[in-house]
Amino acid sequence: MPNEIVKTSIASFLQKIFLNLSSFIITIVLSRMLTVSEFGIFSLVNAIIFFLIIFFSIGIQASMARFLSLSDDREYRHSVLAKGLGVLLPWVVLCTGIYLIFYAPIIDFIFPEGELKNFTLIIYAIALIEVVRLFIEKASHGISRLGIAAEQSAYTSLLLVLLLVSAAYIYSSAESVLYAKIIALALPIPFALTKLILEFKKSLNADAPHEPSTLTIVSYGIPLSLIFLADYGFLQLPLIFLGSYLDPSAVGLYSISILTYVRLLIVPRAIGNGLAPHMARMNHDQNWFSLLEKGVLFALIFSIPIVIIGCTEGGELLALIFGEKYREAKDIFLLLSLFYLMSSLLGVINPILDFSGRAKIRAFGVSVGSVINILLNILWIPKYGIYGAAIATLVGYFIFFIIVIVNLKSQAISAIILSRPIHKLLFLCSMLLVIFFIFRAIFPSISFLILLIILSLIYPILLICSGIVSKSDFRTIFKN
């Protein structure tokens, strides 16, 4: 890939991995220090926070990022920024009033046993801080300065691990952990915001497209907001249904499974984020399709081994990382591995669609899939429990996946389907899977260890020897 795309991808990867790694560490520690029920309450509070972030943001930050990416001109950037913030700030004030009035009666209706009544101000504070963090992330992405967001994430990650783990160790409650989260998220913001302001003050002159109106920014943000809301329907709303129909323990088991896969999407999303700002300025020519093909290839190189582990040794992995009490979620983990595979592919494709002005396709697909997922959750969770939630997610996400794929240009679909490197990769993974099953039949007691050896040692070597990736690809990545 071109050097500037690799740099942007790596910055995006660093920004994502800092938060995902710290979040993963925190999840491991909390799952072991807290009971499954208390961990479920922690997950429910975070699900509510994610909804508020979407409601407070209405896609404005992501919309600004798209228009900022179209030009480096200083005056153009300032105009986009002023128009976007001119809508976002009053909207947040309005949402604050709505939240404070309606939170208590809604929570009493959904969770009549009252586990979440005492979290009103904690939830609001974290949601507001996350809105500011999202603005910094998206603005730095739009001007191709994701290093700012990466640095903010690095400091935030360190503080999250130190403060949340300490709170869990000393107080052993979800409430204390959430108070610690407020401090950890807020402290790095002034430093990141200062650096972002300095970037916008730089005197840059370049060709600028016609400046978007405030209505244009808002109207482009609305589909993006619907996308985030529909994503919420896939990832977080099932936790709300599980908490309402069942109990916090079911929430804890399901959230461990789905959120583990979500955190492992960092590489596909980093690839998509790296490609998106640069492909937004390109015509749909052979080079555009070639970049898409390579992006999908690299996403599959990372995600297929994870799918293999989830389908074969998911129970061992959950018990090893989160504790023996989560082994019973192995079947849910297996089912959701298919969700992860589809998410990995869309992790590359979706940012490219967003930055290319085709967010409406993604918005339509994820909205339809999410509505189906929600309806199936309502029907199946009371009857099948957490299995109903997992199957509903798979059905809804498959519909979303199909809608996005069929709306790609035929040349893009052909580039992916006919790609020789992708064919080689699928064949290689199939052979390694056959080898694993042979060894598992002979040495069943150490099958998990055998699989880890195959995927961590043999797999990378065969990737290079087969020509699927080259040494120059690795040299470019490590150099940057």
Side-chain angles (χ1 to χ4, degrees):
M1 291 185 188
N3 201 48
E4 64 272 15
I5 295 179
V6 174
K7 287 182 178 180
T8 308
S9 297
I10 291 172
S12 174
F13 173 75
L14 291 174
Q15 187 264 327
K16 297 294 183 184
I17 198 173
F18 286 137
L19 286 179
N20 278 275
L21 181 59
S22 66
S23 181
F24 198 57
I25 293 171
I26 291 165
T27 300
I28 294 171
V29 175
L30 295 185
S31 65
R32 292 179 176 273
M33 288 187 175
L34 303 178
T35 64
V36 177
S37 179
E38 196 74 14
F39 183 78
I41 292 174
F42 175 76
S43 299
L44 281 174
V45 170
N46 281 320
I48 296 171
I49 289 169
F50 290 141
F51 173 77
L52 290 181
I53 295 169
I54 298 168
F55 186 59
F56 283 15
S57 298
I58 58 171
I60 295 297
Q61 297 99 318
S63 179
M64 284 193 293
R66 190 259 165 169
F67 289 106
L68 287 171
S69 70
L70 299 180
S71 175
D72 297 329
D73 184 72
R74 180 173 179 266
E75 296 302 321
Y76 172 83
R77 287 179 173 179
H78 284 188
S79 176
V80 172
L81 197 64
K83 291 173 182 176
L85 291 178
V87 174
L88 181 63
L89 296 179
W91 176 255
V92 170
V93 173
L94 175 63
C95 290
T96 299
I98 296 173
Y99 169 79
L100 295 176
I101 293 171
F102 291 105
Y103 173 80
I106 291 175
I107 289 298
D108 285 339
F109 175 75
I110 299 175
F111 305 105
E113 296 192 11
E115 298 102 330
L116 302 179
K117 285 183 180 178
N118 299 325
F119 293 94
T120 306
L121 294 180
I122 294 175
I123 291 172
Y124 173 74
I126 295 177
L128 190 62
I129 294 169
E130 289 283 15
V131 169
V132 178
R133 284 171 41 77
L134 183 63
F135 165 73
I136 295 172
E137 175 190 336
K138 294 298 183 181
S140 62
H141 189 193
I143 62 174
S144 298
R145 294 294 183 272
L146 260 174
I148 297 172
E151 186 176 353
Q152 175 185 243
S153 296
Y155 290 125
T156 302
S157 301
L158 180 61
L159 290 169
L160 284 170
V161 172
L162 292 177
L163 297 181
L164 270 65
V165 170
S166 299
Y169 178 76
I170 296 171
Y171 299 104
S172 299
S173 71
E175 187 173 2
S176 63
V177 171
L178 290 164
Y179 274 118
K181 186 173 182 178
I182 293 174
I183 300 172
L185 291 174
L187 285 178
I189 286 179
F191 305 100
L193 203 54
T194 300
K195 289 193 173 184
L196 186 64
I197 291 171
L198 291 175
E199 285 293 331
F200 275 97
K201 285 184 176 180
K202 287 182 178 179
S203 180
L204 298 170
N205 294 311
D207 293 335
H210 179 71
E211 292 182 7
S213 64
T214 302
L215 181 61
T216 301
I217 295 174
V218 173
S219 62
Y220 193 79
I222 289 174
L224 295 176
S225 183
L226 291 175
I227 289 169
F228 299 142
L229 188 61
D231 279 341
Y232 179 86
F234 280 118
L235 304 178
Q236 302 295 334
L237 202 57
L239 303 183
I240 303 293
F241 286 130
L242 287 169
S244 180
Y245 288 122
L246 302 177
D247 54 58
S249 297
V251 177
L253 292 173
Y254 188 83
S255 64
I256 280 289
S257 300
I258 188 109
L259 297 181
T260 297
Y261 280 125
V262 170
R263 291 180 184 115
L264 290 171
L265 288 171
I266 54 173
V267 171
R269 287 176 176 171
I271 294 170
N273 287 337
L275 290 169
H278 302 282
M279 293 177 71
R281 306 183 189 185
M282 297 170 58
N283 295 320
H284 285 71
D285 54 15
Q286 188 58 43
N287 191 36
W288 194 95
F289 299 122
S290 177
L291 286 175
L292 177 64
E293 175 199 352
K294 185 158 282 193
V296 170
L297 171 65
F298 275 88
L300 290 175
I301 287 172
F302 177 80
S303 61
I304 288 179
I306 294 171
V307 173
I308 290 174
I309 294 175
C311 289
T312 57
E313 299 290 337
E316 293 294 328
L317 183 66
L318 291 173
L320 175 67
I321 297 176
F322 303 111
E324 192 64 32
K325 56 192 174 184
Y326 289 98
R327 185 188 290 273
E328 62 180 292
K330 65 177 182 179
D331 293 333
I332 300 300
F333 200 66
L334 186 155
L335 288 170
L336 292 176
S337 65
L338 300 176
F339 154 80
Y340 175 74
L341 181 60
M342 292 185 287
S343 297
S344 297
L345 295 173
L346 294 185
V348 175
I349 296 170
N350 285 338
I352 296 171
L353 291 178
D354 292 349
F355 274 71
S356 299
R358 304 183 69 198
K360 290 182 180 179
I361 294 173
R362 181 186 172 197
F364 174 73
V366 76
S367 298
V368 172
S370 183
V371 168
I372 292 173
N373 175 48
I374 291 169
L375 293 175
L376 293 179
N377 269 288
I378 295 172
L379 293 173
W380 290 348
I381 287 179
K383 189 174 182 179
Y384 303 110
I386 57 177
Y387 295 97
I391 297 172
T393 297
L394 283 180
V395 173
Y397 211 85
F398 178 73
I399 292 171
F400 167 38
F401 179 80
I402 292 299
I403 289 174
V404 171
I405 295 300
V406 299
N407 277 281
L408 287 176
K409 290 183 177 295
S410 58
Q411 298 97 316
I413 298 174
S414 298
I416 296 171
I417 293 176
L418 301 177
S419 169
R420 289 181 61 83
I422 292 178
H423 293 169
K424 287 183 179 180
L425 174 65
L426 296 176
F427 177 77
L428 171 63
C429 291
S430 299
M431 291 300 99
L432 291 178
L433 196 57
V434 170
I435 293 170
F436 163 70
F437 281 124
I438 293 172
F439 274 97
R440 186 165 76 168
I442 301 172
F443 307 105
S445 60
I446 57 170
S447 60
F448 184 51
L449 178 61
I450 291 172
L451 183 60
L452 291 181
I453 292 173
I454 290 174
L455 295 179
S456 61
L457 297 178
I458 300 174
Y459 177 66
I461 294 172
L462 292 179
L463 284 176
I464 297 176
C465 293
S466 62
I468 296 173
V469 295
S470 64
K471 293 180 181 179
S472 62
D473 290 324
F474 286 105
R475 279 198 297 267
T476 302
I477 291 171
F478 286 120
K479 179 182 177 182
N480 283 282

